[in-house]
Amino acid sequence: MIVDLTDEQAREALPCKWGAVEPGVVPAWVAEMDFALAEPVVEAVTDAVRRGTAGYPPFGDLGVGAALTGFADRHWSWSPPADASVVVGDVIAGIRIALEVLCPPGPVVVPLPCYPPFRDIVTLTGRELVHVTVDPDAEDQDAAALDLRQVEDAFAAGARTLLLCNPHNPLGRVPRRDELEDLGRLARQYGARVVADEIHGPLVLPGATFTPYLEVDPTGILVTSHSKTFNTAGLHTAQVVVLDEAEQAALRAIPLPQNHAYSPLGMIAAVTAWTDCDDWHGALVTRLAEQRTLLTDLLETHLPKARMRPLEATYLPWVDLRDYGLDDPAAAGLEHGVRVAAGQAYQPGLAGHVRLNTATTPLRLEQMVERLAAAVAGRRP
């Protein structure tokens, strides 16, 4: 059910990921999958285009909220009200809107390492950025949990919002339910809001359990999208979900220039993905789990000094290569025919780390690791 794209097909389908590298270079730097789209999504979007659906999006949500509710109920036994969802262009746009419309004044806490646009969007909204650190190299997943003592210190000093990545990108960790409950209690104690980016929620792998943040903290703000799981980022549709009716009304009342970048084709893709693609989604999780196992074996063989905790979610493993003595192994890797994401992008000043992308063919994953191994060993490309 999961169909691998050839290099030629991938270059056409993923012009950002593949267009940023020369032919022969394995691209593993951005969060897109080298897989064909789920067939129901292809059919729904193709049929819509044939009907001429290329105009402005409707004022309603075309059923996107109800579709997310159904998916959440089937997969996580959680059923947010369908009308709690407001459509936005993408997750980062949704976070910006949440900060501008719903979050109290004050600095914004962003744990490091983090998805780089988290830092950018806080700055763009004119908020002060406050970092708390998560150990990027903790051997045990529990040791990589969010440090609530640091969070409380930030709240006590005046911060009133925290950006939570659940599951975490780039650490690939799934927060435990009790951790989220403790975070929710802390936020309510200080009158703070937690904005939870849960775009990777459907990509939790066997062995871990996903807890939607709003299930434990009804004052939270959820921002999510089908796009990461179903590879449709270019269609631009995401969702902001809040449980308070007044806040739902406030989101729907914002001026059009503040929230206009979503697409009718993306909305159609969202409804189809959330509703009709469970079999494809199940096959995807199985495939990603297989790639996780393969990566572990490849690292043991070719990069035995690499450190990587077991990947609990996403297809974006975080690898510590500092024992090989390179500050920027990503740059060395590019010289050897593989482009991976540099750890410094996720935590400025953090040397020796890379983020990989396993959502590709086993052959490309093998090439990725072999070329990184050549790079850190200093062999000639």
Side-chain angles (χ1 to χ4, degrees):
M1 185 171 287
I2 302 301
V3 177
D4 294 308
L5 299 174
T6 66
D7 287 10
E8 293 75 17
Q9 291 169 333
R11 197 167 289 276
E12 291 290 330
L14 305 169
C16 177
K17 180 182 181 180
W18 282 76
V21 300
E22 296 295 326
V25 175
V26 178
W29 63 280
V30 70
E32 292 186 298
M33 301 185 292
D34 297 338
F35 306 141
L37 298 178
E39 192 58 33
V41 173
V42 173
E43 292 176 358
V45 174
T46 300
D47 289 346
V49 172
R50 286 181 177 141
R51 295 193 303 270
T53 307
Y56 293 119
F59 291 110
D61 76 349
L62 288 182
V64 173
L68 173 61
T69 296
F71 185 92
D73 182 53
R74 293 192 306 277
H75 293 270
W76 308 316
S77 300
W78 177 60
S79 301
D83 58 1
S85 172
V86 176
V87 175
V88 296
D90 55 36
V91 161
I92 292 301
I95 293 173
R96 175 181 57 80
I97 290 169
L99 290 173
E100 292 172 344
V101 178
L102 301 177
C103 294
V108 178
V109 180
V110 176
L112 287 179
C114 73
Y115 178 52
F118 275 19
R119 303 194 302 270
D120 297 335
I121 205 65
V122 171
T123 301
L124 287 172
T125 57
R127 302 292 190 99
E128 180 185 348
L129 183 63
V130 176
H131 287 307
V132 299
T133 56
V134 176
D135 184 355
D137 302 309
E139 294 283 357
D140 186 286
Q141 282 287 22
D142 289 339
L146 182 63
D147 187 337
L148 294 184
R149 288 175 296 181
Q150 291 186 56
V151 174
E152 182 167 15
D153 287 345
F155 285 167
R160 287 297 175 265
T161 303
L162 180 138
L163 299 189
L164 173 71
C165 197
N166 175 32
H168 194 277
N169 171 28
L171 297 183
R173 182 180 185 274
V174 181
R176 291 19 173 181
R177 185 183 186 90
D178 62 333
E179 297 168 13
L180 298 179
E181 290 172 341
D182 290 344
L183 175 60
R185 283 192 289 269
L186 191 62
R188 292 191 294 275
Q189 176 184 340
Y190 283 91
R193 302 296 296 274
V194 174
V195 180
D197 170 2
E198 295 184 351
I199 196 171
H200 295 285
L203 296 174
V204 171
L205 303 177
T209 300
F210 175 68
T211 301
Y213 182 74
L214 266 62
E215 189 176 23
V216 301
D217 178 8
T219 71
I221 302 166
L222 164 63
V223 188
T224 192
S225 175
H226 69 289
S227 63
K228 196 62 62 185
T229 300
F230 296 95
N231 229 29
T232 58
L235 294 179
H236 284 285
T237 291
Q239 296 161 257
V240 177
V241 180
V242 288
L243 302 182
D244 182 85
E245 293 183 0
E247 292 194 329
Q248 296 164 15
L251 288 173
R252 293 189 174 97
I254 63 177
L256 182 64
Q258 197 172 2
N259 183 27
H260 69 284
Y262 49 94
S263 150
L265 296 179
M267 296 166 78
I268 291 167
V271 172
T272 304
W274 290 138
T275 305
D276 298 328
C277 294
D278 280 4
D279 289 347
W280 189 91
H281 168 254
L284 173 66
V285 171
T286 298
R287 175 64 176 278
L288 295 181
E290 293 169 351
Q291 291 290 87
R292 173 178 63 178
T293 299
L294 176 58
L295 175 62
T296 300
D297 294 341
L298 289 169
L299 290 177
E300 289 177 354
T301 300
H302 300 287
L303 287 166
K305 291 191 289 184
R307 298 172 65 214
M308 184 188 76
R309 290 185 311 276
L311 189 66
E312 295 182 339
T314 82
Y315 48 82
L316 304 166
W318 177 255
V319 182
D320 175 6
L321 296 172
R322 286 178 301 170
D323 283 351
Y324 289 95
L326 290 181
D327 285 346
D328 191 356
L334 187 57
E335 295 177 359
H336 284 73
V338 58
R339 180 173 179 179
V340 297
Q344 295 96 322
Y346 302 88
Q347 183 166 330
L350 182 66
H353 293 70
V354 296
R355 192 192 75 170
L356 310 181
N357 183 330
T358 64
T360 188
T361 66
L363 175 59
R364 290 194 195 108
L365 182 56
E366 184 174 359
Q367 291 172 334
M368 188 189 310
V369 175
E370 289 175 347
R371 293 177 187 188
L372 270 177
V376 300
R379 296 196 292 271
R380 293 176 62 88

Coordinates of all heavy atoms in Angstrom, one line a residue, residues 314-371:
T314 N 7.5 10.0 14.8 CA 8.0 10.7 13.6 C 8.9 9.8 12.8 O 9.2 8.6 13.1 CB 8.8 12.0 13.9 OG1 10.1 11.7 14.2 CG2 8.1 12.8 15.0
Y315 N 9.4 10.3 11.6 CA 10.4 9.6 10.8 C 11.6 10.4 10.8 O 12.4 10.4 9.8 CB 9.8 9.3 9.4 CG 9.2 10.5 8.7 CD1 9.9 11.5 8.1 CD2 7.8 10.7 8.8 CE1 9.3 12.6 7.5 CE2 7.2 11.8 8.2 CZ 7.9 12.7 7.5 OH 7.3 13.8 6.9
L316 N 11.9 11.1 11.9 CA 13.0 12.1 11.9 C 13.9 11.9 13.1 O 13.9 12.6 14.0 CB 12.4 13.5 12.0 CG 11.4 13.9 10.8 CD1 10.6 15.1 11.2 CD2 12.1 14.0 9.5
P317 N 14.7 10.8 13.0 CA 15.6 10.5 14.2 C 16.7 11.6 14.4 O 17.2 12.1 13.4 CB 16.2 9.2 13.8 CG 16.1 9.1 12.3 CD 14.8 9.8 11.9
W318 N 17.0 11.7 15.6 CA 18.0 12.7 16.1 C 19.3 11.9 16.5 O 19.2 11.1 17.3 CB 17.4 13.5 17.2 CG 18.3 14.5 17.9 CD1 18.9 14.4 19.1 CD2 18.6 15.8 17.5 NE1 19.6 15.5 19.5 CE2 19.4 16.4 18.5 CE3 18.3 16.5 16.3 CZ2 19.9 17.7 18.3 CZ3 18.8 17.8 16.2 CH2 19.6 18.4 17.2
V319 N 20.4 12.2 15.9 CA 21.6 11.4 16.0 C 22.8 12.3 16.5 O 23.0 13.3 15.9 CB 22.0 10.7 14.7 CG1 23.2 9.8 14.9 CG2 20.8 9.9 14.2
D320 N 23.4 11.8 17.5 CA 24.6 12.5 18.1 C 25.8 11.8 17.5 O 26.1 10.7 17.7 CB 24.5 12.4 19.6 CG 25.8 12.9 20.3 OD1 26.6 13.5 19.6 OD2 25.9 12.8 21.5
L321 N 26.6 12.6 16.7 CA 27.8 12.1 16.1 C 29.1 12.8 16.7 O 30.1 12.7 16.0 CB 27.7 12.3 14.6 CG 26.6 11.6 13.8 CD1 26.5 12.1 12.4 CD2 26.9 10.1 13.9
R322 N 29.0 13.4 17.8 CA 30.1 14.1 18.4 C 31.3 13.3 18.6 O 32.5 13.8 18.5 CB 29.7 14.8 19.6 CG 28.8 16.0 19.4 CD 28.4 16.7 20.7 NE 27.7 15.7 21.6 CZ 27.4 15.9 22.9 NH1 27.8 17.0 23.4 NH2 26.8 15.0 23.6
D323 N 31.2 12.0 18.9 CA 32.3 11.2 19.1 C 33.2 11.0 17.9 O 34.3 10.5 18.0 CB 31.9 9.8 19.6 CG 31.5 9.8 21.1 OD1 31.7 10.8 21.7 OD2 31.0 8.8 21.6
Y324 N 32.7 11.5 16.7 CA 33.5 11.4 15.5 C 34.3 12.7 15.3 O 35.1 12.8 14.3 CB 32.7 11.1 14.3 CG 32.2 9.7 14.3 CD1 30.9 9.4 14.8 CD2 33.0 8.6 13.8 CE1 30.5 8.0 14.9 CE2 32.5 7.3 13.8 CZ 31.3 7.0 14.4 OH 30.8 5.7 14.4
G325 N 34.2 13.7 16.2 CA 35.0 14.8 16.2 C 34.7 15.9 15.2 O 35.5 16.8 15.0
L326 N 33.5 15.9 14.6 CA 33.1 17.0 13.7 C 32.1 17.9 14.3 O 31.1 17.4 14.8 CB 32.6 16.4 12.4 CG 33.5 15.6 11.5 CD1 32.7 15.1 10.2 CD2 34.6 16.5 11.0
D327 N 32.3 19.2 14.2 CA 31.3 20.1 14.7 C 30.1 20.1 13.8 O 28.9 20.3 14.3 CB 31.9 21.5 14.7 CG 32.8 21.7 15.9 OD1 32.8 20.9 16.8 OD2 33.5 22.7 15.9
D328 N 30.3 19.9 12.5 CA 29.1 20.0 11.5 C 29.1 18.8 10.6 O 29.5 18.9 9.4 CB 29.3 21.3 10.7 CG 28.0 21.6 9.9 OD1 27.1 20.8 9.9 OD2 27.9 22.7 9.3
P329 N 28.7 17.7 11.1 CA 28.7 16.5 10.2 C 27.7 16.6 9.1 O 27.9 15.9 8.0 CB 28.2 15.4 11.2 CG 27.6 16.0 12.3 CD 28.3 17.4 12.5
A330 N 26.7 17.5 9.2 CA 25.8 17.7 8.1 C 26.5 18.2 6.9 O 26.3 17.8 5.7 CB 24.6 18.6 8.4
A331 N 27.4 19.2 7.1 CA 28.2 19.8 6.0 C 29.1 18.8 5.4 O 29.3 18.7 4.1 CB 29.0 21.0 6.5
A332 N 29.7 18.0 6.2 CA 30.6 16.9 5.7 C 29.8 15.9 4.9 O 30.3 15.4 3.9 CB 31.3 16.2 6.8
G333 N 28.6 15.6 5.4 CA 27.8 14.6 4.7 C 27.4 15.1 3.3 O 27.4 14.3 2.3
L334 N 27.1 16.4 3.2 CA 26.7 16.9 1.8 C 27.9 16.8 0.8 O 27.7 16.5 -0.3 CB 26.4 18.4 2.0 CG 25.8 19.1 0.7 CD1 24.6 18.3 0.2 CD2 25.5 20.5 1.0
E335 N 29.1 16.9 1.3 CA 30.3 16.7 0.4 C 30.4 15.2 0.0 O 31.0 14.9 -1.0 CB 31.5 17.1 1.1 CG 31.6 18.6 1.5 CD 32.9 18.9 2.2 OE1 33.7 18.0 2.5 OE2 33.1 20.1 2.5
H336 N 29.7 14.3 0.7 CA 29.8 12.9 0.4 C 28.5 12.4 -0.2 O 28.2 11.2 -0.2 CB 30.2 12.1 1.7 CG 31.6 12.2 2.0 ND1 32.2 13.3 2.5 CD2 32.6 11.3 1.9 CE1 33.4 13.1 2.7 NE2 33.8 11.9 2.3
G337 N 27.6 13.3 -0.6 CA 26.4 12.9 -1.3 C 25.1 12.6 -0.5 O 24.2 11.9 -1.0
V338 N 25.0 13.2 0.7 CA 23.8 13.1 1.5 C 23.5 14.4 2.2 O 24.5 15.0 2.7 CB 23.9 11.9 2.5 CG1 25.0 12.1 3.5 CG2 22.5 11.8 3.3
R339 N 22.3 14.9 2.1 CA 22.0 16.1 2.7 C 21.1 15.8 3.9 O 19.9 15.3 3.7 CB 21.3 17.1 1.8 CG 20.9 18.4 2.5 CD 20.4 19.5 1.6 NE 20.1 20.7 2.4 CZ 19.6 21.8 1.9 NH1 19.4 21.9 0.6 NH2 19.3 22.8 2.7
V340 N 21.6 16.0 5.1 CA 20.8 15.9 6.3 C 20.7 17.2 7.0 O 21.3 18.2 6.6 CB 21.4 14.8 7.3 CG1 21.4 13.5 6.6 CG2 22.8 15.2 7.7
A341 N 19.8 17.3 8.0 CA 19.6 18.6 8.7 C 20.6 18.7 9.8 O 20.9 17.8 10.6 CB 18.2 18.7 9.3
A342 N 21.2 19.9 9.9 CA 22.3 20.2 10.9 C 21.6 20.4 12.3 O 20.6 21.1 12.4 CB 23.1 21.4 10.5
G343 N 22.2 19.8 13.3 CA 21.7 20.0 14.7 C 21.7 21.5 15.1 O 20.8 21.9 15.9
Q344 N 22.6 22.3 14.6 CA 22.6 23.7 15.0 C 21.3 24.4 14.6 O 21.0 25.5 15.2 CB 23.8 24.4 14.3 CG 25.2 23.9 14.8 CD 25.7 22.9 13.8 OE1 25.0 22.1 13.3 NE2 27.0 23.0 13.6
A345 N 20.6 23.9 13.6 CA 19.4 24.6 13.3 C 18.3 24.4 14.4 O 17.4 25.3 14.5 CB 18.8 24.0 12.0
Y346 N 18.4 23.4 15.2 CA 17.4 23.1 16.2 C 17.8 23.6 17.6 O 16.9 23.9 18.4 CB 17.2 21.6 16.2 CG 16.7 21.1 14.9 CD1 17.7 20.7 13.9 CD2 15.4 21.0 14.5 CE1 17.3 20.2 12.7 CE2 15.0 20.6 13.3 CZ 15.9 20.2 12.3 OH 15.5 19.8 11.1
Q347 N 19.1 23.8 17.7 CA 19.6 24.4 19.0 C 20.9 25.1 18.6 O 22.0 24.5 18.5 CB 19.9 23.3 20.0 CG 20.4 23.9 21.4 CD 20.3 22.9 22.5 OE1 19.4 22.0 22.5 NE2 21.1 23.0 23.5
P348 N 20.9 26.4 18.4 CA 22.0 27.2 18.0 C 23.2 26.9 18.9 O 23.1 26.8 20.2 CB 21.6 28.6 18.2 CG 20.1 28.6 17.9 CD 19.7 27.3 18.6
G349 N 24.4 26.6 18.3 CA 25.6 26.3 19.0 C 25.8 24.8 19.4 O 26.8 24.5 19.9
L350 N 24.8 24.0 19.1 CA 24.9 22.6 19.4 C 25.7 21.9 18.3 O 25.1 21.7 17.2 CB 23.5 22.0 19.6 CG 23.5 20.5 20.0 CD1 24.1 20.3 21.4 CD2 22.1 19.9 20.0
A351 N 26.9 21.5 18.6 CA 27.7 20.8 17.5 C 27.5 19.3 17.5 O 27.1 18.7 18.4 CB 29.2 21.1 17.8
G352 N 27.8 18.8 16.3 CA 27.9 17.3 16.2 C 26.7 16.5 16.0 O 26.7 15.3 16.1
H353 N 25.5 17.2 15.8 CA 24.3 16.4 15.8 C 23.6 16.6 14.4 O 23.9 17.6 13.7 CB 23.3 17.0 16.8 CG 23.6 16.7 18.2 ND1 24.7 17.3 18.8 CD2 23.1 15.8 19.1 CE1 24.8 16.9 20.1 NE2 23.8 16.0 20.3
V354 N 22.8 15.6 14.0 CA 22.1 15.7 12.7 C 20.7 15.2 13.0 O 20.5 14.4 13.9 CB 22.8 14.9 11.6 CG1 24.1 15.5 11.2 CG2 22.9 13.5 11.9
R355 N 19.7 15.6 12.1 CA 18.4 15.0 12.0 C 18.3 14.3 10.7 O 18.5 15.0 9.7 CB 17.3 16.1 12.2 CG 15.9 15.5 12.4 CD 14.8 16.5 12.3 NE 14.6 16.8 10.9 CZ 13.6 17.6 10.5 NH1 12.7 18.0 11.3 NH2 13.4 17.8 9.2
L356 N 17.9 13.1 10.7 CA 17.8 12.3 9.5 C 16.3 12.2 9.1 O 15.4 12.7 9.8 CB 18.4 10.9 9.7 CG 19.8 10.8 10.3 CD1 20.2 9.3 10.4 CD2 20.8 11.5 9.4
N357 N 16.1 11.5 8.0 CA 14.7 11.3 7.5 C 14.6 9.9 7.0 O 15.3 9.5 6.0 CB 14.3 12.3 6.4 CG 12.9 12.1 5.9 OD1 12.4 11.0 5.9 ND2 12.3 13.2 5.4
T358 N 13.9 9.0 7.7 CA 13.8 7.6 7.4 C 12.6 7.3 6.4 O 12.5 6.1 6.0 CB 13.7 6.7 8.6 OG1 12.4 7.0 9.3 CG2 14.8 7.0 9.6
A359 N 11.8 8.3 6.1 CA 10.6 8.0 5.2 C 11.0 8.0 3.8 O 10.7 8.8 2.9 CB 9.6 9.1 5.5
T360 N 11.8 6.9 3.4 CA 12.3 6.7 2.1 C 12.5 5.2 1.9 O 12.0 4.4 2.6 CB 13.6 7.5 2.0 OG1 14.0 7.5 0.6 CG2 14.7 6.9 2.9
T361 N 13.2 4.9 0.8 CA 13.4 3.5 0.5 C 14.5 2.9 1.5 O 15.4 3.7 1.9 CB 13.8 3.2 -0.9 OG1 15.1 3.8 -1.1 CG2 12.8 3.8 -1.9
P362 N 14.5 1.6 1.7 CA 15.6 1.0 2.5 C 17.0 1.3 1.8 O 17.9 1.5 2.5 CB 15.3 -0.5 2.5 CG 13.8 -0.5 2.4 CD 13.4 0.6 1.5
L363 N 17.0 1.3 0.5 CA 18.3 1.5 -0.2 C 18.8 2.9 0.1 O 19.9 3.1 0.4 CB 18.1 1.3 -1.7 CG 19.3 1.6 -2.6 CD1 20.5 0.8 -2.1 CD2 19.0 1.5 -4.0
R364 N 17.9 3.9 0.0 CA 18.3 5.3 0.2 C 18.7 5.5 1.7 O 19.7 6.2 1.9 CB 17.2 6.3 -0.1 CG 16.9 6.4 -1.6 CD 16.0 7.6 -1.9 NE 15.4 7.6 -3.2 CZ 14.2 7.3 -3.5 NH1 13.3 7.2 -2.5 NH2 13.7 7.3 -4.7
L365 N 18.0 4.8 2.6 CA 18.4 4.9 4.0 C 19.8 4.3 4.2 O 20.7 4.9 4.9 CB 17.4 4.2 4.9 CG 17.7 4.3 6.4 CD1 17.8 5.7 6.9 CD2 16.5 3.5 7.1
E366 N 20.1 3.2 3.5 CA 21.4 2.6 3.6 C 22.5 3.5 3.0 O 23.6 3.7 3.6 CB 21.4 1.3 2.9 CG 22.7 0.5 3.0 CD 22.7 -0.9 2.4 OE1 21.6 -1.3 1.9 OE2 23.7 -1.6 2.4
Q367 N 22.2 4.1 1.9 CA 23.1 5.1 1.3 C 23.4 6.3 2.2 O 24.5 6.8 2.3 CB 22.6 5.6 -0.1 CG 22.6 4.5 -1.1 CD 21.9 5.0 -2.4 OE1 21.0 5.8 -2.4 NE2 22.2 4.4 -3.5
M368 N 22.3 6.7 2.8 CA 22.4 7.9 3.7 C 23.4 7.6 4.9 O 24.3 8.4 5.1 CB 21.0 8.1 4.3 CG 20.8 9.3 5.1 SD 19.2 9.3 6.0 CE 18.1 8.9 4.6
V369 N 23.3 6.5 5.5 CA 24.1 6.1 6.6 C 25.6 5.8 6.1 O 26.5 6.3 6.7 CB 23.6 4.9 7.4 CG1 24.5 4.5 8.5 CG2 22.2 5.3 8.0
E370 N 25.7 5.1 5.0 CA 27.0 4.8 4.5 C 27.8 6.1 4.1 O 29.0 6.2 4.4 CB 26.9 3.9 3.3 CG 26.5 2.5 3.7 CD 26.3 1.6 2.4 OE1 26.2 2.2 1.3 OE2 26.2 0.4 2.6
R371 N 27.1 7.1 3.5 CA 27.7 8.3 3.1 C 28.1 9.2 4.3 O 29.1 9.8 4.4 CB 26.8 9.0 2.1 CG 26.7 8.3 0.8 CD 25.8 9.0 -0.2 NE 25.6 8.1 -1.3 CZ 24.9 8.4 -2.4 NH1 24.4 9.7 -2.5 NH2 24.8 7.6 -3.4

